[in-house]
Amino acid sequence: MTIMKDMRTVFEAAGGNEGLGRLAEAWHRRVMDDEVVSHAFSHGFHPQHVERLAAYWAEALGGPNTYSELYGDETTVVRMHSGNGKHEEMDRRAIDCFDQALADVGLADDPALRQVLRDYFAWATTTTMSRYHESAGDVPSGLTIPRWSWDGLQSRRI
């Protein structure tokens, strides 16, 4: 069954908060099992990592502003991912883990949904989250979470 993309947001098509929560959990399991990507978590991670990740994805994909209201803005997120040098192999493997997680939770069954979610994750991983390789201090203040729709990037302030 193909998702009618003109009728729902990507957030809704992905199952809303519940669907993105399952995806975040599956992705986190995958990356923790990956010998390269898991290195990003070797220093530990927030006990609510999966919940926060799902809220971030939800907001980016047309859902509620829960992440911004409870946890921070795009500046906060980008700073967490900055100042670690270039890590292209890790990025590629994180994207592979995401593709596998989509299948794990049944979100790869619809080709249009699978593609838009993959495009979003690959863009976020290789663009916004890896833009400031040298220093987290280089990340500007006041960034808002970029919005992604069926047509790709909708708004961006970076």
Side-chain angles (χ1 to χ4, degrees):
M1 172 188 214
T2 300
I3 301 290
M4 298 301 296
K5 66 183 185 180
D6 294 329
M7 299 176 71
R8 299 194 281 179
T9 64
V10 176
F11 166 78
E12 292 166 332
N17 287 322
E18 182 181 328
L20 291 171
R22 287 192 322 271
L23 179 59
E25 186 175 313
W27 180 80
H28 187 78
R29 272 195 313 273
R30 289 271 181 188
V31 299
M32 295 308 289
D33 288 342
D34 184 281
E35 64 187 33
V36 173
V37 187
S38 63
H39 176 74
F41 297 95
S42 62
H43 62 281
F45 52 89
H46 194 281
Q48 293 178 311
H49 177 256
V50 170
E51 176 184 319
R52 289 171 177 235
L53 179 60
Y56 179 83
W57 287 346
E59 188 167 334
L61 297 170
N65 295 336
T66 305
Y67 190 90
S68 294
E69 291 171 3
L70 297 178
Y71 307 120
D73 60 6
E74 182 74 357
T75 297
T76 304
V77 176
V78 175
R79 283 183 180 153
M80 281 189 281
H81 293 86
S82 297
N84 299 308
K86 292 187 179 187
H87 40 76
E88 293 167 357
E89 180 184 2
M90 184 181 292
D91 293 345
R92 278 191 303 277
R93 290 175 74 134
I95 294 166
D96 288 344
C97 288
F98 187 80
D99 290 340
Q100 294 165 351
L102 288 170
D104 292 345
V105 299
L107 291 176
D109 297 341
D110 180 279
L113 180 59
R114 181 188 69 235
Q115 190 64 54
V116 75
L117 289 169
R118 187 199 193 284
D119 289 349
Y120 162 71
F121 187 82
W123 172 82
T125 300
T126 62
T127 304
T128 54
M129 298 305 153
S130 61
R131 184 175 200 147
Y132 301 95
H133 300 294
E134 299 304 317
S135 172
D138 294 339
V139 180
S141 297
L143 298 176
T144 58
I145 295 175
R147 302 303 175 120
W148 198 267
S149 77
W150 294 103
D151 298 320
L153 182 62
Q154 297 301 299
S155 66
R156 182 172 146 199
R157 292 185 207 160
I158 287 188

